[in-house]
Amino acid sequence: MESASVCNAQRVTSEPATPAESGTVPDMAAMARVVARQRAEMDRLRDLAATSAVLERAKGAVMALTGCSAEAARELLLQRAKAERRTLLEECWITLGTLMPPLDADDEPELPAVAPGSPGPGTPADALAENGLSSTLGRLAKSLVHVGTPRDLARCLLEHLAPEVGADAIILYARLPAGGLELIGHAGIDDTLASQWQQVPPLSGVAALDALRARQPRWLEEIDRDRERYLLIGDPPERWRSRAWLPVQLGDTAEVCLGVLRGRAEPFAPQAREHLCAVARLCAGRLRAFGARPERAAGGAADAVQAVFDALPVAALLLTPLRAKSGEVQDYRVDAATAQVGDVVGRTGDELVGRRLLDCFPTMAGEPLWQGCRHTLATGEPYEGEPFAHQEVVSGVAELSTYSVRVARLGGGLAVTWIRHDSSDRQEQRLADLQRLGNLGWANWNLVTHEASWSSQVFAILGRDPELGPVRIGDLPDLAAPDDVPALARAVGDLLRAGRPLDLPFRARTPHGVRHLRFVAEAVTDIDDTPVEVHGFVQDLTAQRRAELALVESERAMLTQHDILRTERTLAARLQHALLPLPKRPVQLAGLRVEVAYLPAQSGVHVGGDWFSAIELPNGDALFVVGDVAGHGVDAVATMAQLRFTAKGMVITGSSLTGALARLNTLLLHSRDSHGTATMILARYGPTDHRLVWAQAGHPPPLLLRDGEVRYLDRPSGMLLGATSTPVFEEAECRLEPGDRLIMYTDGLVERSPENIDLGLRRLAEAVAAHHTDATGSLEPLLAAMLEEERQDDVCVLDIRMPDEPG
């Protein structure tokens, strides 16, 4: 089962017990259920934490051996588990036991080598799946995460193998350097028998030793024949009539042997053999963590180094690289360690010596220290890591300390040391960080000995070579720009003579150009108030000053542009007022009462190009025009004037409405002074037959109010003026009746960003119906209802009414 991250699971669910009613006995069963659920949740979290630890160790091993990332290591483990029909946890245990060899960059990932007699790819894995043993191995893999000692492992195996293969006892032997065996775990046998067989000398006729030497399982299934060949454990030996001894592969060696003892006198079935081999392979990773004996370095060099380490007051390790056949470093063995190393890494030196580094710290393969070790081993250049914070317990109190790690080559190995920085080191580092972040440096002048000292940051700010030393404080004004010399010299003089503090900005000439600096200093006086020492700091404000100057320049440019725009608006407004005079009261045209409203935009500084015309033609008809030129400003006003007067002239001289629109379109397309595009409505009203003929060019339709009902007139075809050289315009007709009200308007009345214009048209229809009155000045409540927010565009409205009794 794939393991999730522990940090994502630190949540314990709980349910408050329902309070018992007054005078009643609490529901103990309900409380017990809550406690049970909480315990189950805690067990789940502990399982998840332990499982995640196994996954991280396996990922660390893969990362160390292949050089891949943590995500790639996890993906490789998943692929291998899928290929072998195992769970991810099983694959992690097997990987930790086999520690597969490094992969070449061009090779496909290979599956780990299979121990002799154990199931491998293909048929054995299929056989396990068919026999239903995959699920039992998965359960064993989960159980292994809670195993802490070899004795626990033996008990766990007995609990698992008793129902599966009929095991009655489990024995774990580890091979000693001298060749004998040491009992490291047992279950199902009493302590007396275990003590008798605690140490087994390297004799012939020991089945466990035979299995380790041959690296092949030994199946003892006929006790009479087996007692002639092997020395059998038991008092009497007939207590266990069949036995199996299986070597546990730890990498390329087999140092631990698993013994399975049964009381039944029958051979191990093929299925049982396959299962036991798979169990032995699964236990390799767990045994690697605690079962294998420490690998002591040969010779006395490590002992000599350990003797030196015992006298060192720092945390240090001596590491020997362990290489694969290709020469690639795949791990390190700890050959010596100081006592203080436990304060940093959490394990004492005795626990680390002889162990492999990745066994103790599996996630180190993805850390900078691992890469630093490889670099130092390859090049001989020492590696120094960045300081890091570490919490330790001193006299029972948690204390945060700062450490840095250093790696140096020592012979064929590496010496790794952790240096604890005391408070003065940390203060010095903080001061250096403060100077760097604040772009400032401290300076000190002794006026009695004439000695001076600067921090390195002051030399960097002034662009001065440190070999030249600090500048005398009396010569400091010589570094300033000519215009700033008098003020700086006067301030320094007052400081030296009267001890008056100074805080002065000045410009300095440096090899990097002129820089804006700030000099802050104060004097230390003797008992006679005579200055004897000066200390202060120099701060580089060049970036800040440049930003301030850029801001001032930007504000100046904005003010200038604002003045230009305001002047343009004033000019355009005056031009518009001259070209488009507004009537102060309703006008009578061809028997119709006409009210006009024009409202400029409230946002922005430009004047728009909306316009209207309402005139009586020579034959007594009335001409109504509403238009809108795209854009704002003087150009839009000029185009508006051109279209307004041209449209009136063409209709007065006999042009049809569609003909006038076509010619206006041509005018916009071919006039250099024209301003883009425009929309327009042309309407002609005849008083004799009350007929309104109208045409439009991309403009919203007029709104008709009749007998309390509102509707928009159906728009005839019409293209936006200036959009195409082949426009199509058509006319439409509407007969006005007494009491009718016709609203012609520009889009500023109905448009609101970012909503659809259809909402504005619906809002206008509702407002006209709600605010209708026959009295003059009825446009004001209508506009108030429509224009609640700040106007983004100009608004022009023609309110045309036919009296109830037309004249």
Side-chain angles (χ1 to χ4, degrees):
M1 178 180 295
E2 185 174 340
S3 171
S5 174
V6 180
C7 63
N8 292 331
Q10 300 302 315
R11 177 180 60 85
V12 179
T13 59
S14 62
E15 295 182 15
T18 303
E21 296 180 2
S22 177
T24 63
V25 178
D27 188 349
M28 299 304 295
M31 295 178 63
R33 287 194 296 271
V34 172
V35 173
R37 280 194 292 269
Q38 291 179 334
R39 287 177 177 174
E41 179 68 9
M42 291 298 296
D43 291 341
R44 186 186 69 82
L45 291 178
R46 280 194 289 267
D47 289 344
L48 188 57
T51 302
S52 296
V54 176
L55 175 61
E56 292 302 316
R57 289 201 297 270
K59 285 166 56 179
V62 175
M63 291 163 61
L65 298 176
T66 65
C68 65
S69 64
E71 186 61 31
R74 182 176 180 277
E75 184 62 29
L76 180 58
L77 289 171
L78 286 171
Q79 292 176 3
R80 291 157 55 88
K82 183 178 180 181
E84 286 295 324
R85 298 187 182 182
R86 291 190 285 257
T87 65
L88 178 60
L89 189 56
E90 288 180 75
E91 187 59 42
C92 290
W93 285 125
I94 293 173
T95 298
L96 289 172
T98 57
L99 288 178
M100 62 285 189
L103 302 177
D104 294 330
D106 298 330
D107 292 342
E108 292 293 329
E110 297 178 1
L111 297 175
V114 180
S118 63
T123 305
D126 294 339
L128 285 177
E130 292 173 1
N131 293 330
L133 297 180
S134 295
S135 59
T136 60
L137 290 175
R139 290 194 296 272
L140 175 60
K142 289 183 181 179
S143 300
L144 290 180
V145 301
H146 301 295
V147 170
T149 65
R151 188 91 178 251
D152 293 341
L153 177 60
R155 285 193 288 265
C156 176
L157 291 176
L158 181 59
E159 181 180 347
H160 173 78
L161 294 177
E164 299 296 337
V165 298
D168 297 306
I170 297 294
I171 295 178
L172 292 173
Y173 271 118
R175 180 155 50 184
L176 296 170
L181 296 176
E182 180 182 23
L183 183 65
I184 61 174
H186 63 86
I189 65 174
D190 55 66
D191 292 338
T192 302
L193 183 62
S195 62
Q196 294 174 357
W197 290 86
Q198 182 69 33
Q199 300 281 344
V200 179
L203 304 174
S204 60
V206 178
L209 275 174
D210 192 13
L212 289 176
R213 294 189 188 107
R215 295 173 63 181
Q216 292 284 348
R218 290 293 179 257
W219 310 100
L220 282 64
E221 300 164 324
E222 297 181 12
I223 188 169
D224 293 334
R225 187 182 64 180
D226 295 334
R227 75 169 71 237
E228 298 176 359
R229 183 178 179 185
Y230 296 113
L231 183 63
L232 301 181
I233 297 175
D235 187 18
E238 290 78 8
R239 177 181 175 182
W240 296 294
R241 306 188 66 84
S242 60
R243 312 156 189 249
W245 293 97
L246 301 101
V248 179
Q249 290 286 121
L250 299 177
D252 297 331
T253 62
E255 300 294 330
V256 177
C257 192
L258 166 63
V260 180
L261 284 62
R262 302 191 306 177
R264 67 179 69 171
E266 62 183 35
F268 288 90
Q271 176 182 347
R273 292 192 178 196
E274 292 172 2
H275 187 55
L276 288 175
C277 291
V279 168
R281 190 179 180 203
L282 194 61
C283 293
R286 181 72 275 179
L287 283 168
R288 177 177 287 276
F290 53 70
R293 299 183 61 82
E295 307 171 26
R296 300 288 178 173
D303 295 336
V305 173
Q306 183 63 60
V308 175
F309 273 23
D310 290 339
L312 293 179
V314 298
L317 293 176
L318 175 64
L319 303 180
T320 297
L322 303 178
R323 302 180 183 272
K325 295 179 180 179
S326 62
E328 183 81 12
V329 175
Q330 60 181 7
D331 205 344
Y332 298 89
R333 185 182 64 239
V334 181
D335 284 342
T338 63
Q340 292 81 2
V341 75
D343 297 334
V344 182
V345 300
R347 294 194 181 193
T348 65
D350 292 339
E351 293 176 332
L352 293 174
V353 173
R355 303 287 183 183
R356 296 193 177 196
L357 196 62
L358 288 179
D359 287 347
C360 302
F361 314 106
T363 60
M364 186 178 288
E367 297 178 358
L369 177 58
W370 183 269
Q371 302 302 326
C373 289
R374 298 181 66 174
H375 177 76
T376 299
L377 195 62
T379 65
E381 300 176 359
Y383 164 78
E384 294 189 7
E386 294 290 332
F388 62 93
H390 174 71
Q391 182 171 299
E392 54 188 346
V393 179
V394 180
S395 300
V397 179
E399 182 178 290
L400 195 64
S401 302
T402 302
Y403 285 86
S404 60
V405 62
R406 188 177 190 274
V407 182
R409 194 158 66 181
L410 182 62
L414 297 174
V416 182
T417 55
W418 285 266
I419 301 173
R420 184 177 184 270
H421 301 284
D422 58 25
S423 59
S424 61
D425 294 333
R426 293 197 294 271
Q427 292 291 347
E428 185 175 347
Q429 181 63 41
R430 289 169 184 164
L431 179 59
D433 293 340
L434 176 64
Q435 294 182 87
R436 175 177 52 83
L437 296 174
N439 207 4
L440 55 84
W442 58 263
N444 187 78
W445 291 271
N446 190 313
L447 304 181
V448 178
T449 63
H450 303 292
E451 295 178 345
S453 58
W454 287 359
S455 69
S456 59
Q457 194 72 11
V458 175
F459 287 101
I461 291 173
L462 295 175
R464 183 176 176 82
D465 188 352
E467 296 292 334
L468 300 177
V471 175
R472 294 175 53 191
I473 189 170
D475 298 333
L476 196 62
D478 296 339
L479 301 178
D483 293 343
D484 295 340
V485 169
L488 183 58
R490 184 166 51 253
V492 171
D494 292 341
L495 174 68
L496 297 179
R497 289 189 299 271
R500 183 178 300 165
L502 69 85
D503 185 345
L504 186 71
F506 70 97
R507 292 167 295 170
R509 297 166 299 176
T510 72
H512 306 295
V514 176
R515 307 197 70 80
H516 295 267
L517 306 180
R518 177 191 179 199
F519 181 36
V520 180
E522 64 179 5
V524 179
T525 61
D526 59 12
I527 58 176
D528 298 325
D529 289 333
T530 300
V532 294
E533 187 176 356
V534 172
H535 54 256
F537 67 86
V538 178
Q539 185 176 17
D540 187 356
L541 302 176
T542 304
Q544 178 181 340
R545 182 59 177 160
R546 287 175 179 170
E548 291 174 353
L549 293 176
L551 180 60
V552 170
E553 187 64 28
S554 176
E555 290 177 350
R556 185 180 295 115
M558 289 176 60
L559 290 174
T560 302
Q561 182 66 20
H562 189 270
D563 291 341
I564 293 174
L565 294 175
R566 180 175 295 175
T567 301
E568 180 181 342
R569 178 182 177 87
T570 301
L571 174 61
R574 290 178 179 177
L575 178 60
Q576 185 186 53
H577 183 70
L579 297 175
L580 193 66
L582 289 174
K584 297 181 180 180
R585 59 179 60 88
V587 297
Q588 299 292 327
L589 294 175
L592 302 177
R593 191 186 76 189
V594 181
E595 289 188 47
V596 181
Y598 177 84
L599 300 174
Q602 292 176 315
S603 62
V605 297
H606 292 296
V607 176
D610 292 19
W611 88 93
F612 71 93
S613 287
I615 63 172
E616 188 168 309
L617 299 175
N619 63 352
D621 290 352
L623 175 66
F624 302 108
V625 185
V626 173
D628 184 4
V629 173
H632 297 81
V634 176
D635 291 340
V637 173
T639 303
M640 175 270 290
Q642 186 180 38
L643 293 176
R644 182 172 185 263
F645 292 115
T646 304
K648 289 196 299 185
M650 285 191 291
V651 175
I652 290 174
T653 56
S655 294
S656 64
L657 300 182
T658 56
L661 289 176
R663 291 181 178 86
L664 291 173
N665 182 75
T666 303
L667 178 65
L668 278 182
L669 288 175
H670 298 286
S671 175
R672 293 183 179 179
D673 299 331
S674 64
H675 188 75
T677 60
T679 66
M680 182 187 299
I681 285 183
L682 285 175
R684 184 167 185 160
Y685 173 74
T688 56
D689 54 5
H690 309 300
R691 188 166 64 103
L692 180 77
V693 179
W694 65 289
Q696 61 87 26
H699 203 86
L703 178 67
L704 176 65
L705 173 64
R706 175 177 292 170
D707 297 332
E709 295 184 0
V710 292
R711 68 178 180 90
Y712 288 98
L713 301 184
D714 295 333
R715 287 203 314 171
S717 298
M719 300 289 292
L720 184 74
L721 295 180
T724 178
S725 59
T726 57
V728 176
F729 299 108
E730 296 179 353
E731 292 182 349
E733 180 179 317
C734 174
R735 291 188 178 274
L736 297 183
E737 299 178 0
D740 282 356
R741 183 182 184 186
L742 188 71
I743 304 293
M744 300 172 66
Y745 53 91
T746 56
D747 57 7
L749 183 64
V750 294
E751 281 189 341
R752 286 184 188 177
S753 180
E755 70 179 22
N756 191 288
I757 193 174
D758 291 339
L759 296 177
L761 294 173
R762 188 181 306 120
R763 187 166 49 248
L764 175 59
E766 294 171 353
V768 169
H771 296 88
H772 176 62
T773 175
D774 292 332
T776 59
S778 59
L779 272 180
E780 293 183 5
L782 174 63
L783 295 177
M786 289 296 298
L787 305 174
E788 296 177 353
E789 301 176 355
E790 184 182 58
R791 293 189 299 278
Q792 305 291 323
D793 197 2
D794 294 358
V795 175
C796 183
V797 181
L798 285 182
D799 186 2
I800 305 170
R801 297 170 183 260
M802 173 175 281
D804 291 334
E805 296 180 1

